[in-house]
Amino acid sequence: MQYKAPRGTQDILPGDSERWQWLERTFREVCALYGYQEIRTPIFEQTELFQRGLGEATEVVTKEMYTFEDRGGRSLTLKPEGTAPAIRAYLENHLGGPGQVTRLYYITPIFRYERPQAGRYRQAHQTGLELIGSGSPEADAEVIDLTLRWYRQLGIQQLTLKVNTLGMRDCRTRYREALLDYARPLLRDLSDEERVRFESNPLRMLDSKDPRVQAAMAEAPTLEAFLEAESQEHFERLLEILGTLGAEFEVDRRLVRGLDYYTKTVFEVQSPDLGAQNALCGGGRYDNLIQEIGGPPTPATGVAMGIERALLALEAAGALPETAAPADAFAIVLTKSPEAERWLADWRSRGLRLLTDPERRSAKSQFRQADKSGAPFAVTIGDEELERGSAKVKQLSTGEEREVAPEAVVEHIRSALEA
Ligand code: AMP
């Protein structure tokens, strides 16, 4: 039996995993510039957290969750997103209080039973931010600014920032009704499944990819007419700050996002290099979520960024970084003397990244392995070298070889690598 990784999942192989590390390291560095601290939450949570947090009617909850019962009869769900767990942990561990601002970041796998395709997986990975305890447009702008800074730092140049406002609960309720009224004739023509979906979340008709829905919604009322003054002012101020940050953006009145919890600001960063799944990230304000899952009324804003999508965008733009050699040198060990092992231990202690052949095969075989390994240097230690008190250090690209005293080997290789 040949086993395969489950559909919609991928192995991250050596070489690629280095790129993941680089991308995550860069994210941590950018987060530190704004004072965000990492939170790590469990891979699974009580199912109800997501039902309540994301909304019973969202597609993620109705169709995509990996839900199972454990042996104790509890319903658990592999996390389909990072925000509800982060907020659950924030509340449970009292990470903030009234008037306090808490900044969290996470790097996590997410699990969604989606139809796999390029850029869409059943296990995907996200970096994310949550800025909890501030209702200001400045807070939204900070999250957007950090997000864009990360992308630029990674070398993703082609970006489109789209922003919109969804208003607060009341205006949204009235707007949903207006949309449903407008869409009655369309809804009659749709399948039962689609009709139920749109009736429970009519905003999704606005960003539907179905051409029939798109055509029918072309003249639909926009949310703008229903927006409260407070949301309108919030949005205007946000756009003003984005302007001063030098961020290029488009106001997209059809941007609604898939998760129910958003209020006021929503945004997405898209990459033209990505094809159909062109969203690099999505985020926005979620002022009701914390109360929804049992906390005190607390405004918050955040973003979730797809790691695979960032890598795909870099790859499409030919901007993926080269992967480094797995070692600085391959040690060709031709003796059983403990002194040779001491040399190796000493070089590693001083930071030299060393490969060896654990089988200690013939000189010829070890040289071949050194060539294949990608390490730029081969260092030979045999009985002769031990007697002379020097190792043979060979630069594999040029073939140049030198006798070097053991205490000088690390320095010799390091300066050659820097040159
Ligand atoms: P969401 O949590 O749906 O707002 O998604 C935020 C970002 O995560 C998206 O813009 C994508 O970059 C990424 N993402 C979400 N779901 C998937 C998936 N199934 N496969 C790959 N990336 C995903």
Side-chain angles (χ1 to χ4, degrees):
M1 176 75 189
Q2 265 279 7
Y3 295 106
K4 288 185 164 176
R7 192 163 140 75
T9 69
Q10 358 179 44
D11 299 311
I12 299 158
L13 302 176
D16 265 347
S17 60
E18 264 176 68
R19 293 184 170 127
W20 282 66
Q21 288 167 21
W22 158 76
L23 183 143
E24 291 170 11
R25 191 164 58 242
T26 311
F27 182 65
R28 292 176 198 284
E29 285 165 8
V30 176
C31 283
L33 296 177
Y34 298 74
Y36 285 70
Q37 290 179 296
E38 185 177 20
I39 185 155
R40 302 189 192 197
T41 65
I43 289 294
F44 52 81
E45 296 274 352
Q46 281 171 276
T47 300
E48 208 188 314
L49 172 70
F50 300 114
Q51 290 169 334
R52 284 211 66 87
L54 278 58
E56 300 271 3
T58 50
E59 218 159 297
V60 171
V61 171
T62 55
K63 286 204 194 146
E64 297 180 352
M65 293 205 305
Y66 280 89
T67 298
F68 60 98
E69 202 173 276
D70 75 1
R71 286 165 196 271
R74 302 169 194 87
S75 179
L76 299 172
T77 294
L78 299 183
K79 56 175 147 175
E81 58 98 59
T83 297
I87 297 301
R88 195 267 310 136
Y90 161 87
L91 289 170
E92 185 175 343
N93 299 287
H94 311 289
L95 298 185
Q100 226 176 311
V101 170
T102 305
R103 290 178 170 87
L104 303 173
Y105 79 81
Y106 60 79
I107 302 177
T108 185
I110 57 159
F111 304 88
R112 296 182 191 174
Y113 192 77
E114 302 202 70
R115 202 164 53 77
Q117 51 187 286
R120 187 187 285 176
Y121 314 95
R122 291 184 174 168
Q123 176 175 340
H125 299 78
Q126 292 180 337
T127 57
L129 306 171
E130 315 296 349
L131 195 169
I132 307 161
S134 169
S136 77
E138 281 77 0
D140 295 341
E142 176 178 302
V143 166
I144 294 174
D145 183 44
L146 196 166
T147 300
L148 294 175
R149 187 183 293 272
W150 182 50
Y151 287 136
R152 289 200 205 97
Q153 202 100 327
L154 292 177
I156 303 177
Q157 305 295 351
Q158 297 267 46
L159 297 170
T160 312
L161 167 64
K162 298 201 162 174
V163 285
N164 191 18
T165 178
L166 299 179
M168 296 189 285
R169 207 173 260 158
D170 289 348
C171 105
R172 196 122 105 235
T173 309
R174 284 185 291 123
Y175 180 53
R176 286 163 96 113
E177 278 160 21
L179 268 185
L180 280 177
D181 280 344
Y182 170 86
R184 283 288 167 230
L186 165 73
L187 289 171
R188 272 199 291 275
D189 289 344
L190 296 177
S191 67
D192 285 349
E193 192 198 319
E194 276 182 306
R195 186 164 53 247
V196 170
R197 180 150 58 89
F198 287 143
E199 277 173 351
S200 64
N201 193 354
L203 264 64
R204 289 323 300 255
M205 289 187 284
L206 294 173
D207 69 349
S208 167
K209 297 221 158 86
D210 179 341
R212 260 187 324 165
V213 180
Q214 278 180 359
M217 298 308 286
E219 303 285 316
T222 61
L223 185 115
E224 245 180 313
F226 296 78
L227 215 53
E228 317 83 354
E230 184 189 328
S231 298
Q232 182 65 36
E233 278 162 31
H234 185 102
F235 194 51
E236 281 165 13
R237 173 69 184 137
L238 172 65
L239 300 186
E240 187 178 84
I241 308 167
L242 291 179
T244 62
L245 290 174
E248 276 182 42
F249 60 87
E250 284 170 30
V251 174
D252 180 353
R253 295 289 178 191
R254 288 180 175 261
L255 182 68
V256 296
R257 313 264 325 113
L259 305 174
D260 260 0
Y261 51 55
Y262 289 112
T263 49
K264 293 184 180 163
T265 311
V266 284
F267 70 93
E268 209 167 89
V269 179
Q270 301 177 348
S271 160
D273 293 326
L274 279 181
Q277 305 300 319
N278 66 353
L280 281 168
C281 71
R285 174 161 287 287
Y286 52 92
D287 288 344
N288 300 326
L289 174 67
I290 296 179
Q291 208 171 2
E292 203 62 58
I293 60 180
T298 312
T301 183
V303 61
M305 299 159 261
I307 295 183
E308 289 87 351
R309 300 264 175 100
L311 289 166
L312 286 169
L314 283 165
E315 191 183 0
L320 269 183
E322 294 287 318
T323 53
D328 302 316
F330 193 105
I332 293 165
V333 184
L334 305 172
T335 167
K336 293 251 185 288
S337 160
E339 182 65 5
E341 303 301 328
R342 276 197 287 274
W343 285 12
L344 297 180
D346 173 54
W347 296 339
R348 285 199 174 107
S349 300
R350 290 197 267 148
L352 192 71
R353 302 178 308 141
L354 268 183
L355 271 169
T356 62
D357 172 12
E359 306 287 332
R360 307 282 195 259
R361 275 169 281 216
S362 67
K364 196 170 150 199
S365 162
Q366 289 192 46
F367 258 109
R368 215 172 14 224
Q369 292 174 60
D371 272 326
K372 267 178 68 179
S373 73
F377 285 86
V379 184
T380 307
I381 319 172
D383 290 322
E384 277 175 41
E385 282 78 15
L386 290 179
E387 230 161 83
R388 277 204 303 274
S390 64
K392 280 202 198 85
V393 181
K394 183 172 182 182
Q395 185 152 17
L396 292 168
S397 60
T398 59
E400 186 191 319
E401 191 172 72
R402 291 257 189 98
E403 298 254 343
V404 182
E407 60 279 5
V409 163
V410 175
E411 197 37 51
H412 175 81
I413 291 179
R414 200 162 279 158
S415 51
L417 284 175
E418 274 161 18

